Amino acid sequence: MTTKSRKQSVEQFKKFVKKHPQLITEVRKGNKGWQELFEDWYLLGENDTIWQKYTENITETEKETEKKEEKKNDFFSQIVTAVKKMDAEQVNHHIHNMSSTIATLQNLVEQFGSKGTGQNNSTGNHPFSFRKD
């Protein structure tokens, strides 16, 4: 085989692989090697039944990918729509209310916390108090 015909056959094989991208995953998984695939393609041709399983899987994979992309696009469009519908003043009002509620709760916790420790210190009567002789 001359160098020119080798280059042409390699280019044709590359085009074939682009039509059947599932072959790339087979090689990456380690199930097949590039040399083996090239030899099969060269000897059997592009129209052999051996390549059908790679074309059938492509359509299923493409369908699954399209469904996932549609779900992602749908999710993002819902988020964008929700953000567009938000009123900035209402959001600011709710944040202010939440902030004041948290501040009130912190004050309550501080008050009850100081009373609890204050009572223990003010009583001074420990149930097991011992006197030194």
Side-chain angles (χ1 to χ4, degrees):
M1 198 186 287
T2 64
T3 317
K4 195 173 194 178
S5 64
R6 270 191 251 170
K7 286 184 180 180
Q8 287 178 347
S9 61
V10 169
E11 290 300 319
Q12 289 174 348
F13 179 68
K14 286 182 181 180
K15 290 178 184 177
F16 175 74
V17 170
K18 286 181 182 179
K19 291 179 186 175
H20 302 83
Q22 195 67 21
L23 292 171
I24 297 170
T25 57
E26 286 293 314
V27 172
R28 288 181 182 165
K29 287 180 183 176
N31 298 338
K32 300 263 185 183
W34 287 117
Q35 184 68 34
E36 179 185 357
L37 289 172
F38 179 77
E39 290 172 358
D40 289 344
W41 171 81
Y42 190 76
L43 294 174
L44 302 173
E46 291 184 17
N47 299 326
D48 195 74
T49 57
I50 192 171
W51 310 118
Q52 286 179 353
K53 63 182 178 181
Y54 300 112
T55 56
E56 290 172 1
N57 289 338
I58 292 169
T59 56
E60 291 174 13
T61 307
E62 287 176 351
K63 288 179 184 176
E64 290 175 7
T65 307
E66 288 175 5
K67 287 180 183 178
K68 288 179 183 177
E69 288 177 5
E70 286 177 10
K71 287 181 182 178
K72 287 180 184 176
N73 290 339
D74 187 42
F75 177 71
F76 287 124
S77 66
Q78 288 177 350
I79 290 176
V80 170
T81 305
V83 169
K84 285 181 181 178
K85 290 182 180 179
M86 280 187 203
D87 183 18
E89 290 181 26
Q90 282 184 343
V91 172
N92 192 21
H93 177 72
H94 289 300
I95 290 173
H96 178 71
N97 285 344
M98 286 177 48
S99 177
S100 61
T101 303
I102 290 171
T104 304
L105 288 173
Q106 286 176 336
N107 287 335
L108 285 172
V109 168
E110 287 177 7
Q111 286 177 358
F112 285 116
S114 64
K115 283 185 179 178
T117 55
Q119 287 177 351
N120 287 339
N121 290 339
S122 64
T123 56
N125 296 333
H126 195 273
F128 300 105
S129 62
F130 296 101
R131 292 189 219 170
K132 288 186 178 181
D133 288 327

